[in-house]
Amino acid sequence: MSDIDPDGWEKNSAWWQEGYTDGVDPEYEEQMIPIAMELLAGYQSVLDVGCGEGQIARRLVANGSSTVVGVDPTSNQIIAARQRAGGPEYARAQAESLPVASSSFDAVIACLVFEHIADHVPAIGEIARVLRLGGRFVLFLNHPLLQCPGSGWIVDHVLEEEYWRIGPYLTVDVSMEELAPGVALPFVHRPMSHYLNALIGNGLDIVEMEEPPPPAGFLNKADEYADAASIPRLLVLVAERRR
Ligand SMILES: C[S@@+](CC[C@H](N)C(=O)[O-])C[C@H]1O[C@@H](n2cnc3c(N)ncnc32)[C@H](O)[C@@H]1O
């Protein structure tokens, strides 16, 4: 899968930083950050892979983790993360090649990152390598089944039916998504089994899975979102290194 523009996030990092970080996005504030803090409470050294501008890494420090390192290949994200400070250390790196020693972290988190990684297998292999035995990996994904390309709420006026349509779930796909005027980024879709088999194949046992409903702050943004209030937008997988 070579059609991922390596500069996409460099060009669009300001859009992300202004619209989705540092307290402005209800899904992060009401859901993703609280879930991440709960799942990683008590873990001392944590690596945030694809940390962006550091909103999760900063909260991990505030949550009591003593050593938090964020890595991201996008220099504009790392520059903003260092400016926003708050305790973590940062480095520019890709998930597929982590510049840290084997078995050196108690936990790793990757939040909404694997949708931008062309090949998830080497990235999950790297995460397994840097985790200590018994260490925990927390993976946040846009729900691969319910949010796959072509999915969405359908109002059929002929059959008088309303339902959530699921797109071609089994097709591995990279699609450019127009996220805002002038902001387009490639998203990789792969079925859930691809993630689960890569975790299992790297000695990472699934210990928990969450599919939280969209939080109130998201549903309140538009009346039509209420129709799909029982369709999760997020999948959270928690795995632990057993070998
Ligand atoms: C949607 S943002 C999420 C940022 C952060 N995890 C958060 O939740 O605020 C996706 C991030 O993935 C990063 N990214 C893209 N390709 C990556 C790769 N191969 N390895 C690690 N991170 C990558 C981008 O630079 C971007 O900062």
Side-chain angles (χ1 to χ4, degrees):
M1 233 180 267
S2 57
D3 39 356
I4 290 198
D5 173 5
D7 291 331
W9 275 100
E10 290 296 1
K11 288 184 273 198
N12 293 308
S13 57
W15 159 82
W16 174 256
Q17 290 160 14
E18 285 157 22
Y20 293 92
T21 68
D22 235 8
V24 302
D25 179 58
E27 287 186 283
Y28 268 100
E29 291 304 312
E30 293 174 29
Q31 189 160 74
M32 286 187 270
I33 291 174
I35 291 174
M37 294 310 117
E38 193 186 325
L39 291 172
L40 292 171
Y43 287 81
Q44 286 306 310
S45 57
V46 186
L47 180 67
D48 183 356
V49 172
C51 63
E53 56 64 71
Q55 59 182 336
I56 291 180
R58 287 191 291 281
R59 296 287 187 99
L60 285 166
V61 172
N63 203 39
S65 294
S66 55
T67 305
V68 178
V69 177
V71 294
D72 198 291
T74 303
S75 62
N76 285 332
Q77 299 278 54
I78 294 297
I79 289 167
R82 287 185 178 139
Q83 282 166 353
R84 291 179 175 184
E89 294 288 322
Y90 293 103
R92 203 172 159 210
Q94 290 193 318
E96 300 90 321
S97 179
L98 295 171
V100 299
S102 299
S103 306
S104 56
F105 280 88
D106 295 328
V108 176
I109 181 166
C111 181
L112 305 189
V113 174
F114 272 77
E115 294 84 344
H116 306 287
I117 295 179
D119 186 352
H120 63 298
V121 177
I124 289 176
E126 273 293 86
I127 287 167
R129 179 184 68 78
V130 306
L131 270 178
R132 68 160 167 79
L133 211 55
R136 170 169 281 204
F137 176 36
V138 176
L139 174 61
F140 284 72
L141 297 167
N142 291 299
H143 200 298
L145 173 63
L146 294 162
Q147 305 294 338
C148 67
S151 303
W153 191 251
I154 300 290
V155 179
D156 186 326
H157 294 289
V158 177
L159 295 176
E160 293 187 358
E161 281 180 349
E162 296 187 4
Y163 59 92
W164 186 262
R165 178 183 188 276
I166 293 179
Y169 170 70
L170 287 175
T171 306
V172 176
D173 176 54
V174 186
S175 48
M176 284 304 284
E177 289 194 19
E178 184 87 28
L179 301 159
V183 177
L185 281 167
F187 278 72
V188 183
H189 164 71
R190 51 181 73 90
M192 272 195 276
S193 54
H194 292 213
Y195 287 107
L196 296 188
N197 289 330
L199 293 168
I200 294 161
N202 280 287
L204 295 167
D205 284 5
I206 314 285
V207 296
E208 192 173 333
M209 166 173 159
E210 294 188 26
E211 297 173 294
F218 174 79
L219 296 175
N220 292 342
K221 280 181 171 181
D223 287 346
E224 62 269 24
Y225 289 171
D227 293 334
S230 67
I231 305 294
R233 288 166 53 76
L234 200 63
L235 173 69
V236 188
L237 295 173
V238 184
E240 292 177 353
R241 192 183 149 211
R242 297 291 183 226
R243 61 176 159 82

